[in-house]
Amino acid sequence: MTEFAMIIGGTRVRAASEFDVMNPSIGKLIAKAPNASAQDLDRAVAAATSAFELWSKRTDAERSKACLDIAGKIGEHAEELAQLLTQEQGKPLNGLGSRFELGGAQAWAAYTASLSLPVKTLQDNEQGRVDLHRKPLGVVGSITPWNWPVMIAVWHILPAVRTGNTVVIKPSPFTPLSTIRLVEIMNEVLPAGVVNVVTSDDRQTNIGAAMSEHQDIRKIVFTGSINTGKKVMATAADTVKRLTLELGGNDAGIVLPDVDPEAIAEGLFWGAFINNGQTCAAMKRLYVHESVYDRVCNALVAFARNIPVGDGQDEKSILGPIANQMQFDKVKRLVDAATQKGRVLLGGQPGQGLFFPPTLIADLTATDPLVFEEQFGPALPIIKYSNLEDAIAQANDSPNGLGGSVWSKDIEKAKQVANRLECGSVWINKHGAIQPNAPFGGVKSSGCGVEFGEEGLVEYTDIQVVFS
Ligand code: NAD
């Protein structure tokens, strides 16, 4: 069994205790991960603080090259990382699974290398010159979830180091191994201490909470649930940390009457079931106009019933199991309640172990928990509407505001509806398609701040204005 250690100051560090990391496809132990103590976290923060002295003074070109080299390393190790990711997360190697995630991680790293934040001259006249500089913050604490652990680690780490910060990352206890290996690979390119990783099971010491209150961490970039995000925000207040919070979503898709149901079924399916629905910006509620309702339901069932579900390491699988017991129990609870009320079109009953087949439940309404709670799993509620205003109002009647989508042949009409939706991203005739040059973030309780593009990069800097 491979031994996994934390990486602190460029060195492998074992913890006094370890915790089990399980393969959700087969329910077996893959490896043990280090269970960091508060002292281990202090050592990682101290290593990052000391590395900041050197890293923040590197030239922009040097930091850009390092990011590009990281992209190259991710490419070289993509298959090894994909295999590890599939074992701990369950997602298949193929389809929109681990190999896809590694491809995304490499592309994001390369794109981030190409971004820069040059000095902006705000004024240069007889009254004087005013220059706006973007300066790195210091040590950034990154806290990641278990659904896209490698990609999200890259989303946090690359803009931080690109702008001259150093990082301590803490992955989810469900998926620590691929992040440990990713950081190990990054350390082949970066000076010691620029990126450090600590892992913990969040039980004996809650390292995420300790990071949020740590005196020497200047910013937390957090991706995870709304409840934990609120705790981070509260804990971080004492040290007035900068925060980027990418939290949960309950994205609505609205299908207008003019669609061709058979043509959109594949897009609707993957919008909702990407990564088994365990995706922040997956479509989690589908509103369909009554005139096309039955045809959309039928077309979705016809597409969904042919998707191969199985062990992530089986090359034929396109969807895997739910990633962990906690999430499985949540999905089962919501689906059980929905089957009492709605019409099960497909699935509805759990399979072996943590497997749960793609589930489509029609005729649900706003008062059903599968509609108003984030399911984060392979079950889509379908809601019939007759009046577009009512559908828009229902879509917006949520504390969440991450993404949304509108499906129509009439793009101008779809854009008008998009404009009415209360969310950070809206897609037309697709859902959840994020890209590295477009800022991504939530409104309302789905978070604060954005990632990606120049707008994402500036979140890792302080402004300094020089008047001369
Ligand atoms: P989670 O909130 O349970 O855990 C996220 C991370 O926080 C983990 O690393 C966990 O160990 C850590 N943590 C636990 N307690 C903490 C505390 N008190 N302080 C600080 N950190 C703590 O979330 P999850 O179950 O891992 O992820 C699923 C959720 O993440 C979903 O709600 C999903 O929508 C959301 N998500 C959002 C985005 C986005 O970009 N908006 C992306 C992916 C996932």
Side-chain angles (χ1 to χ4, degrees), residues 77-261:
H77 292 271
E79 184 58 23
E80 174 206 343
L81 284 165
Q83 294 282 349
L84 195 53
L85 175 59
T86 285
Q87 285 179 63
E88 65 179 350
Q89 208 279 346
K91 64 177 69 187
L93 293 166
N94 292 318
L96 300 173
S98 293
R99 289 177 182 139
F100 170 80
E101 180 165 347
L102 264 296
Q106 185 181 2
W108 247 274
Y111 185 81
T112 308
S114 77
L115 291 169
S116 66
L117 297 174
V119 176
K120 244 190 214 166
T121 300
L122 305 179
Q123 177 187 313
D124 189 9
N125 57 20
E126 53 286 354
Q127 270 90 46
R129 182 176 167 118
V130 182
D131 288 327
L132 184 153
H133 298 252
R134 292 276 175 185
K135 299 176 79 177
L137 301 166
V139 178
V140 171
S142 150
I143 303 175
T144 54
W146 47 262
N147 59 341
W148 295 89
V150 175
M151 189 117 91
I152 293 173
V154 165
W155 293 350
H156 289 188
I157 294 171
L158 268 289
V161 299
R162 177 70 190 86
T163 43
N165 302 280
T166 56
V167 178
V168 176
I169 182 169
K170 190 214 77 72
S172 162
F174 295 115
T175 54
L177 306 179
S178 51
T179 305
I180 287 179
R181 191 65 193 117
L182 177 73
V183 170
E184 215 162 37
I185 288 163
M186 288 180 176
N187 270 262
E188 292 173 13
V189 170
L190 296 168
V194 174
V195 179
N196 309 272
V197 54
V198 291
T199 53
S200 94
D201 66 0
D202 289 350
R203 290 202 185 117
Q204 59 176 28
T205 311
N206 190 320
I207 294 292
M211 287 168 75
S212 308
E213 69 183 7
H214 204 289
Q215 194 66 39
D216 298 327
I217 292 182
R218 282 288 324 283
K219 173 191 171 91
I220 294 284
V221 50
F222 171 87
T223 303
S225 62
I226 292 176
N227 277 346
T228 314
K230 286 179 183 170
K231 288 184 196 161
V232 169
M233 203 169 197
T235 316
D238 241 13
T239 44
V240 197
K241 284 187 175 56
R242 306 295 178 269
L243 291 175
T244 300
L245 302 177
E246 297 289 0
L247 309 178
N250 195 8
D251 292 12
I254 301 180
V255 176
L256 303 190
D258 69 350
V259 295
D260 173 351

